[in-house]
Amino acid sequence: YKCDWYSKQLITVNPNYTSQICSTCGYHSGKKPLEIREWTCPKCGTHHDRDINAAVNILHRGLKAVG
Ligand SMILES: [Zn+2]
């Protein structure tokens, strides 16, 4: 597991809204209560685990930031 690399990415990336944005199509699903652990994107139909989706979005942002 790339712990060192990943934690560095987390520092440089703003994690705001990452749990609300579909990591597949970019749809912004709006604010959700913390108890919502899973959701389905109304645009592309992808079923997301909240934390995994957020991690994917953070990874995408990190890759963009690194350029
Ligand atoms: Zn989607």
Side-chain angles (χ1 to χ4, degrees):
Y1 195 70
K2 297 167 183 170
C3 232
D4 286 347
W5 183 85
Y6 202 62
S7 59
K8 278 177 194 167
Q9 297 304 311
L10 288 175
I11 293 168
T12 60
V13 172
N14 184 342
N16 285 352
Y17 308 117
T18 48
S19 63
Q20 302 170 19
I21 296 171
C22 174
S23 59
T24 301
C25 72
Y27 178 80
H28 196 306
S29 61
K31 197 160 185 159
K32 282 190 257 327
L34 282 176
E35 63 266 25
I36 300 290
R37 303 301 302 171
E38 299 177 24
W39 58 284
T40 300
C41 176
K43 189 175 175 186
C44 70
T46 303
H47 187 72
H48 296 294
D49 176 278
R50 185 173 160 277
D51 289 339
I52 293 175
N53 183 59
V56 172
N57 281 326
I58 289 168
L59 183 63
H60 285 168
R61 287 191 189 185
L63 291 175
K64 276 184 196 170
V66 173

